[in-house]
Amino acid sequence: MVAPQQAPGAGASDELDVVDESPETLYALCRERGWGDGLPIVAPTPQRVDAMLAAHGGDPDRSVGLVPPRDGEATLRALAVNAVMAGCEPGTLGVIEAAVRALLHPEVNLRGVQATTHPVAPLLIVHGEVVDLLGFNAATGTFGPGWRANATVGRAIRFVLMHVGGGYPDRGDASTQGQPSKYTYCIAENAAACPWPTYPRSRGVDAPSAVTVHCGENPHNFHDMESDEPVRILTKAASAMATLAPNNAPISQAEFFVVLGPEHAATIASCGWSRTDVQSFLFEATRLPRRVLRSAFDVLAWRPWLLAIDDDDELLPMTEHPDNYRVLVAGGPGKHSCVVPSWGMTKSVTLPVEA
Amino acid sequence: MTRILSPESPIGIPKASLAPSPSVLAGRRIAVLDNRKPHARLLMETMARRVAERTNAELVLVTSKATAATPAEPEILQQLAASDLVITGSAD
């Protein structure tokens, strides 16, 4: 059925022939090659890949960089093949390229993200004009399911990490248990519902469209149905983050993404609080006693000033700086928000999407 | 038949290969790179000392990466380059 080209995982073959595009044939191909995520794929035919590339423009051989640990070349063509395979519409390649470019920034530490036993997956956040242009869902159910752009672009990122980067479960990816967000993990910022400057502007990125990547855990929900002021809402967020479980506890550089639902954000802003006020409050409210933290870990990747504190009763912050609480607005009506803890040895990156 | 494209792109740079292991350890310098995983230093240093004792090699360096999650710093690699055998890579 499949014309063999080379050993699974070795890469570098360009084309192969299959008898048809049926789900059964493509499942058999993926099983034989070790490709895919276990869900049905779209056949990356030359015609579909060409359409994906044509919608984006640029030299298909231009490389965004090498994706570790396999160090496969992330050429536009390779990204397009994976995008087609994941079910993406033509037009989304620019977002995928920007996301991969962001993931390859050194501070992301993608080699570690890919290879660790931690369940970490990159959360892709899409900002700006491309949200509506490409049909990303920034409102109700932004984390999914139900929207093709969110689902397939997030899936394409996973495919790139697997097929180009070699992050196959139990080979390049040593995650002990994995996590559902390794299938797809893409949301969009609800800029219309954000009472503050958009997230990219808050990070100094002034572009019509942008992406942010944050390598972390699955989202942890917090709800507050009753409050009409910020403190009770954000105390619940702090409660979700002040635990020994995430890597934020032993790694002080780690960020928390705080994804506020529009109603929580509106309530907080209606009391005159800025994004910086939210960050400062969370820095003060998200704490554990030194005794609890020091007794839980033998190895701590903390800044010296945190390590120097010797009062066991002192409440220590769960991250070294208020700016590590990264606040944005996404979702629709309702009284729910979430936090996304970090893998730890990684920093988020926000980049423009090139036109 | 349907023609499809592989999602696996070519590898960009050749992988580094391990240096050949010395056939005789007598007189050789052994180093340990602790990757900061729990008990890694104890395990690997003990192993290195036993090997050195049995082979008349010498344990010359026990050093650590900053964290398990990041590559070894260039200065650490520079130090390790002066040894003939490096023991590393203990996991969870």
Side-chain angles (χ1 to χ4, degrees):
Chain A
M1 178 189 64
V2 176
Q5 304 278 318
Q6 60 188 86
S13 69
D14 290 331
E15 298 181 345
L16 61 162
D17 294 322
V18 293
V19 292
D20 56 34
E21 293 185 31
S22 69
E24 292 76 14
T25 297
L26 296 176
Y27 262 128
L29 172 68
C30 287
R31 188 170 60 246
E32 178 186 304
R33 297 268 164 168
W35 294 343
D37 55 7
L39 298 169
I41 63 164
V42 175
T45 61
Q47 295 80 7
R48 291 187 179 118
V49 172
D50 286 348
M52 183 70 68
L53 288 165
H56 181 59
D59 178 358
D61 292 324
R62 176 162 57 84
S63 177
V64 174
L66 304 179
V67 184
R70 178 175 170 270
D71 289 333
E73 286 277 12
T75 60
L76 282 182
R77 181 181 286 103
L79 301 184
V81 173
N82 282 281
V84 169
M85 204 169 172
C88 295
E89 283 191 286
T92 55
L93 191 55
V95 172
I96 294 166
E97 181 192 8
V100 173
R101 195 181 296 281
L103 285 169
L104 295 179
H105 271 229
E107 59 266 44
V108 172
N109 187 14
L110 187 59
R111 181 177 298 275
V113 168
Q114 285 268 69
T116 179
T117 50
H118 188 276
V120 54
L123 168 63
L124 170 61
I125 306 165
V126 182
H127 314 274
E129 292 177 356
V130 290
V131 172
D132 289 336
L133 280 174
L134 299 176
F136 286 94
N137 173 29
T140 302
T142 183
F143 279 95
W147 261 260
R148 180 177 176 181
N150 300 47
T152 59
V153 170
R155 190 187 190 202
I157 298 303
R158 173 53 51 191
F159 279 3
V160 170
L161 294 177
M162 294 172 75
H163 301 139
V164 181
Y168 295 103
D170 207 23
R171 286 184 276 163
D173 176 357
S175 178
T176 303
Q177 295 182 311
Q179 64 182 13
S181 53
K182 280 181 178 280
Y183 285 96
T184 182
Y185 204 14
C186 174
I187 66 172
E189 180 181 23
N190 191 338
C194 180
W196 307 298
T198 63
Y199 182 82
R201 287 185 69 91
S202 77
R203 306 313 308 170
V205 175
D206 188 9
S209 301
V211 294
T212 297
V213 293
H214 164 62
C215 297
E217 298 183 10
N218 288 328
H220 299 226
N221 177 71
F222 64 92
H223 82 276
D224 183 307
M225 309 283 185
E226 305 151 325
S227 302
D228 57 4
E229 50 85 20
V231 170
R232 289 213 315 181
I233 295 171
L234 293 175
T235 297
K236 294 180 174 72
S239 163
M241 295 185 282
T243 83
L244 298 172
N247 279 5
N248 298 71
I251 301 173
S252 68
Q253 70 151 18
E255 301 160 310
F256 287 101
F257 268 65
V258 181
V259 184
L260 295 173
E263 294 185 13
H264 282 164
T267 299
I268 292 165
S270 71
C271 294
W273 286 38
S274 66
R275 176 185 270 117
T276 305
D277 292 332
V278 173
Q279 293 173 303
S280 298
F281 177 85
L282 291 174
F283 185 71
E284 295 302 325
T286 310
R287 296 189 174 227
L288 285 174
R290 177 188 184 276
R291 176 185 296 105
V292 172
L293 285 161
R294 295 303 292 258
S295 64
F297 300 100
D298 293 330
V299 178
L300 291 166
W302 283 2
R303 293 293 179 200
W305 69 268
L306 275 167
L307 290 169
I309 296 170
D310 58 6
D311 178 355
D312 260 349
D313 293 325
E314 184 153 343
L315 293 172
L316 302 188
M318 294 294 293
T319 187
E320 66 197 27
H321 196 281
D323 193 49
N324 284 342
Y325 292 101
R326 298 299 179 89
V327 180
L328 70 144
V329 177
K335 303 291 187 183
H336 291 268
S337 296
C338 69
V339 296
V340 183
S342 173
W343 171 55
M345 285 296 173
T346 182
K347 299 292 278 188
S348 63
V349 170
T350 301
L351 289 183
V353 175
E354 303 296 337
Chain B
M1 296 293 276
T2 300
R3 177 146 293 189
I4 67 169
L5 301 178
S6 167
E8 293 185 322
S9 64
I11 292 171
I13 51 173
K15 290 288 184 187
S17 55
L18 291 172
S21 298
S23 55
V24 177
L25 287 178
R28 300 285 191 168
R29 296 156 299 182
I30 299 176
V32 169
L33 175 60
D34 171 14
N35 62 355
R36 303 288 295 271
K37 283 290 184 181
H39 312 301
R41 177 176 284 243
L42 174 65
L43 180 67
M44 292 191 289
E45 185 172 345
T46 302
M47 191 188 318
R49 289 198 186 285
R50 294 277 172 84
V51 170
E53 287 167 8
R54 290 179 185 181
T55 62
N56 286 326
E58 184 183 6
L59 177 58
V60 295
L61 177 67
V62 179
T63 187
S64 301
K65 298 201 296 178
T67 78
T70 54
E73 298 77 4
E75 55 271 27
I76 298 289
L77 295 176
Q78 190 83 32
Q79 294 171 13
L80 292 169
S83 57
D84 301 300
L85 181 74
V86 177
I87 298 175
T88 189
S90 172
D92 293 307

